[in-house]
Amino acid sequence: MCELGKRLREAREAKGLEIAQAAEFLKVRRAVLEALEECRFDELPEPALARGYLRRYAQLLGLDPTPLLALYPMAVAPEPPPIPAPSRPAWLWLLPLLALLALLSWLAFRGLGPSSAPAQAQPAPASPPPPQQVSLRIATQPPGARVYLDGFLLGQSPLEVRVEAGERTLRIEASGYRKHEQVLNLQTDRNLSVALTPLPPAPTPPTQPAPATPASGLVLRFEGTSWVRVTDPRSGRALYEGTVSSGAQLSYPLPVSVRVGNAGVVRAIVNGQDRGLLGRVGQALTLRFE
């Protein structure tokens, strides 16, 4: 395994993410992430698109993409074409070699052979400069909107990030507002302020009774998709493990230990009191509730 794949795999395993979960978060095929971790660059798409996948994967894992992009090969060497079998007798191939040897002997006799002076060393090719990065600051109205760049979630507004310069696609989403999308040509630092347009009110559905919240114990409410593992800290027995979709709810008596892969979409209610979201979007952490 090359250094690039080793760093990616170690960072993913440290976050407790399966490769299938990472592919679901990034909305890319699992085979793309497997090829990056196993350094099978010839199975990836063209370098520009593959580098975009690498940058998004590194940011999901909390890594600085710049040194990883420097490890990605600028081009994948194609396999050499097969050498065709000779179609004439093998001894005929010796004729050009004999003619060349005769020419060199004649030149040496006339004093016109290759110079005995040592060949001048050619300078080593300069390494390509690292990709230029610029600062991108985004504020939205309302605040707290989800900000995506090239399809990868950067976080919630307001935010400031360092991104690779060039033409990038910005998308901003918030519940109850129209999606905002535009193409940015990032060459210098940019400050953006975006006011989202509210959606028209939807027809009121028939009233459904809200799920009852137990007066005691822990309730986990999922406002997005996340992997979760729930264990009994006293016996170490696993009570639940799997990927839970948005809108679901899990309840357990205390004490209980919880590990999540996307803390920013899991809300904890302890003994009937809302403790808020467990952490940031994309953050993996373990908490114990007494």
Side-chain angles (χ1 to χ4, degrees), residues 251-281:
S251 302
Y252 299 96
L254 301 176
V256 69
S257 179
V258 177
R259 179 166 180 82
V260 295
N262 189 9
V265 301
V266 184
R267 183 175 298 276
I269 301 174
V270 182
N271 293 331
Q273 296 183 352
D274 189 345
R275 298 286 184 84
L277 298 174
L278 296 182
R280 303 187 306 275
V281 174

Side-chain angles (χ1 to χ4, degrees), residues 9-99:
R9 176 167 296 180
E10 289 178 349
R12 175 177 59 78
E13 292 176 348
K15 280 185 170 289
L17 282 177
E18 299 293 336
I19 198 165
Q21 295 173 296
E24 180 182 355
F25 289 146
L26 297 177
K27 304 303 180 186
V28 301
R29 292 184 296 109
R30 173 176 176 169
V32 171
L33 303 187
E34 290 177 341
L36 285 172
E37 287 193 2
E38 297 172 10
C39 303
R40 293 183 276 109
F41 304 118
D42 56 329
E43 299 180 12
L44 292 168
E46 60 271 16
L49 185 57
R51 288 168 63 87
Y53 288 145
L54 174 57
R55 178 177 60 252
R56 293 169 54 195
Y57 193 20
Q59 291 171 335
L60 173 66
L61 299 179
L63 299 174
D64 183 1
T66 300
L68 297 180
L69 288 168
L71 294 175
Y72 189 85
M74 297 301 295
V76 179
E79 295 185 358
I83 300 176
S87 58
R88 52 180 176 174
W91 62 268
L92 292 178
W93 293 100
L94 296 175
L95 293 180
L97 179 59
L98 293 174

